[in-house]
Amino acid sequence: MQKSAEFYVNEYGVDEAKTIPILQAIQADYGYLPIKLMQEVCEKSNIHYNRMYGVATFYSQFNLTPKGKNIIRFCAGTACHVKGAEKLIIAVSEELKIRVNETTSNGLFSLETVACLGCCSLAPVMMINDKVYGKMTIAKVKEILMDYKQHHGQ
Amino acid sequence: MDNKDKTIIRVGLGTCGISAGANDVYDAFKEAIAGTNLTLEYTSCNGMCFREPIVDIILKDRIISLSNVSCGEVPRLINEILNNKIIDSEDNDFLVMQNRIVLENCGHINPDKIDDYLAKEGYQALKKILLDILPEQVISEVKSSGLRGRGGAGFPTGLKWELARNSKSNEKYVICNADEGDPGAFMDRAVIEGDPHRVLEGLAISGYAIGAKYGYVYVRAEYPLAVKRIKQAIEDAQNRNLLGNNILGLGFNFFIKVKEGAGAFVCGEETALIASIEGKRGMPTLKPPYPAESGLWGYPTNINNVETLAAIPWIIRHGADKYANFGAEKSKGTKVFSLAGQISKGGLVEVEIGMSLRKIIYEIGAGTSSGKPVKAVQLGGPSGGCLPESMLDTPVDYESLLAKGAIMGSGGIVVMDVDTCMVDIARYFLAFTQKESCGKCTFCRLGTKRMLEILERITLGEGRESDVESLIDLASKIGASSLCQLGKTAPNPVLSTLKYFKDEYIEHIVNKKCRARSCKGLINYKITNKCIGCHLCTKACPAKAINGEIKEKHQIIPDLCIKCGICESVCKFEAIYHE
Ligand SMILES: Cc1cc2nc3c(=O)[nH]c(=O)nc-3n(C[C@H](O)[C@H](O)[C@H](O)COP(=O)(O)O)c2cc1C
Ligand code: FES
């Protein structure tokens, strides 16, 4: 659901300390951080826009442009790397015809890598939205993606 | 009939279990127990990740543990339970050599039920100190336990608390560091998901000891389940007056909030973490002043790692001496390690500090998953180092590891077999730190980039003879001129691999050879006569680099091949290899 700048300020408060929680809420609602909305939040609060922009670009969780409906985060942590994650990332990349940090043209998937999802003993691991999948193989990844294409589409 | 009334089916729903399909197994049991008098319950990870999904059957007189349970087996298992025919998947070697203090409840209680924790003497330590132990006495107890910070640096916890206690201020803060950014480590996630109240109790005790009224738990964003469970735990503890105003009517006020990280490794560093809670970019600041003097909002602040805090309730309940009975000369107690990589039995291992790596890897972890020899073990993540097989007898304690060029770090142990290239591992870590450098210090920002470029060209087979020297030179400069430990320790993975695996660097540079057959610039894929022309590889190849008619032997076009190895892994006839 897309809410107004007023909502975030009322909900989270006006202090600079609320910058990250506000950005996290906007990101969760919109899927990205619209510049105009950030500016409006700053006008209505004590947060300086330069500071907010600085924070938005510092943390990898935030993005200033929209992402796909489903976000695939492939683990590129040490254990997954040692267990051949790179090969799987190439395979996913090929399957979706996008590179890492890109979004498919139909807006269904974005592909990202993260350093460790904390399931290292089930490496290689990937996460789609909030769901983690362990012991991935090329065949399993393709199967899961197919399922998302069919059931989590527009 | 009585017996059956007591039978509980308990499914492990930690992130690791769930990623192996435990939610589906739970749902299948839910459906299957309808009409029986069996009860369904859940717990979190008990550390035996290699057995996930794990289901425990709690009978009146014993517990039966089942491994790798799939949904399809559920009806049969229900039948066996009802007819008393269920048998254990017996795999207890993994646990017998462990000493579980921090993990004592993990995999045994429902993390979302405060009563489960209370039944395991939960919050007794907090109650005990609030009743009749002065903050100074708590600190001296923690001091004599010998507990050292488990977040990496190993600073004595009691001493740290004393410093924060002695800072004069009418407002103070305590923070639990659950950022766990070290790739390959998952102890903190497992403790929070499995026993969140223990962490809250430890944090409240630290608050009481230093004189703080507010606590924060800073959890990384990549751990959504941990965030959910710790928030639930805070709410439940507040409802029972185990947190909040006038706790248990004993006059102590203490409140805890959760802060979610936003995906920056450097925020695990304490000053950066504080900046992040304040809503700023997570950049480290120069110490001193230490957080104990001037931390969150400028007030004295004590920061401890999850595992450090999780050990506290046990120490208060059982006494410092009992804790100090475990461990080595200068490193007391137990440590939780996460065992991963090419290991047969990966998972969480809590052992007395000082156990040898060899014991941990071979006797608990059962050796490599591939059956091939161990080549090296990586400890301490991006700040740590790789130790070769010949050093596996090193006892795992802060001092011994440091002396060998690795560190205890937060407890990640990644095992590598002979198919892992050590130059590639060094490149991997440099790529990590280079990306995660906050950019404040020039050498950390650019020096790591130069090192990475050198390592990249070596792995591509374009290394120069002077490269090893340049790496060492850059390493010493980055170490000397970075402000925080991220930069200071960034060269460690390179230095330790150069120390123990220099011949691999030389082989890459001079002979253009990668003995692990993993560096893309130095290998070629080939198809043998075993190929029956099934087309599986041609379909799988992302670069369209394989040619051939159906039912005829295929060929790889070297110019197009990107050496991803997908063809080799999809081939069902072992007709593709690389050298
Ligand atoms: C780059 C960097 C990352 C760190 N990441 C973590 C972390 O993820 N978790 C943690 O507990 N400590 C981390 N630390 C160590 C903390 O700065 C701090 O020493 C620790 O939280 C103190 O708690 P302890 O005394 O209980 O170990 C990190 C340090 C550095 C330099
Ligand atoms: S390294 Fe991939 S989950 Fe930890």
Side-chain angles (χ1 to χ4, degrees):
Chain A
M1 227 215 312
Q2 310 212 328
K3 301 172 188 124
S4 67
E6 213 137 42
F7 169 84
Y8 296 105
V9 177
N10 290 339
E11 185 77 15
Y12 294 91
V14 294
D15 304 341
E16 190 182 345
K18 303 297 183 229
T19 314
I20 294 175
I22 290 177
L23 293 179
Q24 279 169 333
I26 298 178
Q27 172 94 25
D29 294 339
Y30 284 75
Y32 75 111
L33 302 176
I35 297 273
K36 200 161 159 278
L37 184 60
M38 288 204 293
Q39 285 166 341
E40 283 167 17
V41 168
C42 291
E43 279 162 22
K44 292 185 188 344
S45 68
N46 302 333
I47 308 168
H48 200 289
Y49 180 66
N50 286 352
R51 286 287 180 87
M52 182 176 269
Y53 187 82
V55 169
T57 50
F58 181 82
Y59 294 97
S60 64
Q61 195 194 22
F62 300 128
N63 46 290
L64 300 175
T65 48
K67 280 194 203 178
K69 187 162 184 281
N70 301 293
I71 297 169
I72 304 170
R73 294 194 177 88
F74 229 102
C75 179
T78 322
C80 293
H81 177 76
V82 168
K83 287 270 204 166
E86 200 180 342
K87 207 183 285 177
L88 295 180
I89 297 170
I90 294 175
V92 176
S93 211
E94 164 60 17
E95 180 78 17
L96 299 175
K97 308 264 181 297
I98 48 171
R99 279 172 299 190
V100 173
N101 293 331
E102 289 182 355
T103 301
T104 53
S105 53
N106 61 6
L108 203 49
F109 295 104
S110 290
L111 179 60
E112 296 173 4
T113 57
V114 291
C116 193
L117 291 165
C119 290
C120 323
S121 36
L122 294 163
V125 179
M126 78 169 173
M127 182 161 162
I128 301 187
N129 307 327
D130 267 0
K131 194 162 181 208
V132 181
Y133 299 86
K135 294 188 182 165
M136 285 294 102
T137 59
I138 292 172
K140 275 200 221 166
V141 171
K142 289 194 173 170
E143 206 177 291
I144 293 167
L145 290 182
M146 188 54 82
D147 186 58
Y148 269 84
K149 281 182 194 166
Q150 283 167 1
H151 299 110
H152 302 260
Q154 261 71 28
Chain B
M1 206 55 203
D2 263 7
N3 264 1
K4 274 187 189 163
D5 280 341
K6 295 248 155 64
T7 303
I8 300 170
I9 299 168
R10 190 172 59 193
V11 183
L13 296 183
T15 301
C16 38
I18 293 171
S19 71
N23 267 338
D24 297 338
V25 171
Y26 183 85
D27 290 343
F29 271 111
K30 201 166 173 181
E31 212 168 284
I33 60 165
T36 69
N37 49 8
L38 301 169
T39 314
L40 185 62
E41 188 45 282
Y42 67 89
T43 180
S44 197
C45 174
N46 69 1
M48 294 200 259
C49 307
F50 61 97
R51 293 175 48 180
E52 296 286 6
I54 301 173
V55 177
D56 288 338
I57 314 297
I58 305 160
L59 305 168
K60 195 178 180 193
D61 52 343
R62 67 210 148 101
I63 297 178
I64 284 178
S65 187
L66 310 170
S67 311
N68 304 314
V69 177
S70 63
C71 295
E73 289 175 280
V74 170
R76 174 178 60 80
L77 292 171
I78 292 280
N79 233 320
E80 290 179 359
I81 297 168
L82 291 172
N83 295 306
N84 274 325
K85 286 195 179 137
I86 192 89
I87 44 166
D88 216 306
S89 316
E90 271 174 48
D91 203 341
N92 295 321
D93 300 357
F94 189 79
L95 290 176
V96 289
M97 290 177 67
Q98 303 198 34
N99 276 305
R100 292 197 156 189
I101 290 179
V102 167
L103 298 179
E104 65 181 338
N105 294 337
C106 282
H108 301 299
I109 63 170
N110 181 328
D112 292 323
K113 283 192 181 159
I114 191 169
D115 286 317
D116 277 21
Y117 182 61
L118 292 170
K120 300 272 184 185
E121 295 182 78
Y123 290 104
Q124 288 298 321
L126 180 63
K127 194 171 169 189
K128 183 171 163 186
I129 60 160
L130 294 184
L131 273 173
D132 55 14
I133 307 185
L134 291 173
E136 289 80 3
Q137 290 172 309
V138 173
I139 291 175
S140 94
E141 189 74 3
V142 174
K143 268 180 156 177
S144 52
S145 74
L147 177 66
R148 295 170 64 173
R150 303 293 188 232
F155 192 82
T157 306
L159 188 59
K160 196 187 231 178
W161 289 14
E162 190 171 62
L163 293 171
R165 168 136 205 105
N166 292 342
S167 285
K168 295 275 168 282
S169 169
N170 45 15
E171 193 143 344
K172 291 182 188 179
Y173 292 94
V174 284
I175 300 174
C176 168
N177 187 345
D179 197 43
E180 194 158 64
D182 175 0
F186 52 97
M187 309 65 58
D188 297 348
R189 171 187 67 69
V191 172
I192 292 192
E193 284 178 6
D195 200 3
H197 286 285
R198 165 182 297 265
V199 181
L200 299 181
E201 187 179 3
L203 189 61
I205 294 171
S206 78
Y208 173 78
I210 76 149
K213 194 173 150 191
Y214 297 100
Y216 284 93
V217 183
Y218 188 93
V219 194
R220 71 195 284 249
E222 290 84 351
Y223 289 173
L225 187 62
V227 171
K228 188 172 150 228
R229 290 198 176 148
I230 196 98
K231 284 186 172 165
Q232 180 68 49
I234 293 174
E235 198 183 315
D236 294 344
Q238 274 168 345
N239 289 338
R240 299 291 179 98
N241 192 219
L242 292 159
L243 286 178
N245 271 320
N246 194 14
I247 293 174
L248 297 171
L250 297 169
F252 176 53
N253 306 325
F254 191 69
F255 302 85
I256 301 181
K257 278 192 194 154
V258 173
K259 282 275 168 180
E260 285 177 58
F265 170 70
V266 74
C267 285
E269 197 279 336
E270 51 195 20
T271 59
L273 187 153
I274 288 173
S276 177
I277 295 184
E278 290 173 351
K280 302 182 189 138
R281 291 164 78 101
M283 296 217 195
T285 52
L286 198 61
K287 293 186 275 194
Y290 289 92
E293 307 152 61
S294 169
L296 190 59
W297 323 115
Y299 294 109
T301 302
N302 181 72
I303 303 193
N304 278 125
N305 169 258
V306 171
E307 193 188 332
T308 315
L309 293 171
I312 298 289
W314 194 96
I315 292 173
I316 303 289
R317 277 190 276 120
H318 296 264
D321 294 347
K322 201 149 176 209
Y323 188 78
N325 274 340
F326 293 106
E329 174 72 36
K330 288 186 180 157
S331 313
K332 298 295 181 198
T334 60
K335 172 84 191 86
V336 184
F337 295 98
S338 53
L339 201 49
Q342 275 137 348
I343 184 88
S344 292
K345 297 184 178 175
L348 289 176
V349 178
E350 181 173 3
V351 293
E352 226 181 309
I353 297 182
M355 186 179 273
S356 74
L357 278 168
R358 192 176 301 282
K359 259 192 165 161
I360 295 176
I361 291 166
Y362 285 99
E363 294 181 31
I364 299 179
T368 59
S369 46
S370 57
K372 293 177 186 173
V374 171
K375 183 194 247 181
V377 179
Q378 212 284 339
L379 294 123
S383 310
C386 289
L387 295 183
E389 203 277 339
S390 61
M391 301 225 154
L392 290 189
D393 292 313
T394 309
V396 183
D397 64 57
Y398 294 94
E399 281 71 28
S400 310
L401 289 174
L402 201 58
K404 299 276 159 59
I407 59 166
M408 180 102 127
S410 59
I413 299 184
V414 181
V415 177
M416 300 167 189
D417 70 10
V418 289
D419 287 341
T420 310
C421 170
M422 290 298 123
V423 186
D424 177 63
I425 288 297
R427 179 202 59 79
Y428 166 82
F429 278 112
L430 249 289
F432 178 87
T433 30
Q434 201 275 319
K435 186 163 162 253
E436 295 295 340
S437 165
C438 79
K440 190 166 179 166
C441 309
T442 316
F443 268 95
C444 176
R445 182 179 70 240
L446 297 175
T448 53
K449 195 161 181 133
R450 293 292 94 79
M451 280 183 92
L452 178 60
E453 284 163 4
I454 295 175
L455 290 163
E456 274 174 348
R457 73 171 175 251
I458 298 178
T459 55
L460 285 172
E462 293 157 12
R464 305 173 194 154
E465 299 224 358
S466 60
D467 279 350
V468 169
E469 217 174 293
S470 313
L471 284 173
I472 294 173
D473 180 49
L474 278 164
S476 76
K477 289 186 174 132
I478 295 169
S481 44
S482 301
L483 182 148
C484 87
Q485 291 297 323
L486 184 141
K488 280 195 200 303
T489 59
N492 285 358
V494 180
L495 293 175
S496 72
T497 46
L498 268 173
K499 182 166 172 189
Y500 297 116
F501 301 96
K502 194 165 177 179
D503 44 346
E504 284 196 37
Y505 280 82
I506 304 297
E507 267 173 22
H508 280 74
I509 296 169
V510 180
N511 312 336
K512 308 290 173 209
K513 189 170 169 274
C514 170
R515 68 169 83 167
R517 302 177 305 140
S518 97
C519 287
K520 285 183 189 160
L522 302 170
I523 52 167
N524 285 303
Y525 281 83
K526 303 219 164 105
I527 301 183
T528 68
N529 287 334
K530 284 188 192 162
C531 174
I532 62 150
C534 72
H535 262 12
L536 255 185
C537 58
T538 49
K539 283 193 201 126
C541 176
K544 309 267 170 283
I546 306 176
N547 260 342
E549 294 301 315
I550 192 126
K551 294 194 180 158
E552 278 174 28
K553 189 185 159 199
H554 295 354
Q555 291 91 36
I556 294 174
I557 309 156
D559 285 349
L560 294 181
C561 177
I562 58 167
K563 302 181 184 165
C564 64
I566 291 175
C567 54
E568 187 176 349
S569 50
V570 298
C571 180
K572 294 197 170 130
F573 304 94
E574 292 179 0
I576 306 182
Y577 72 102
H578 64 285
E579 57 174 19

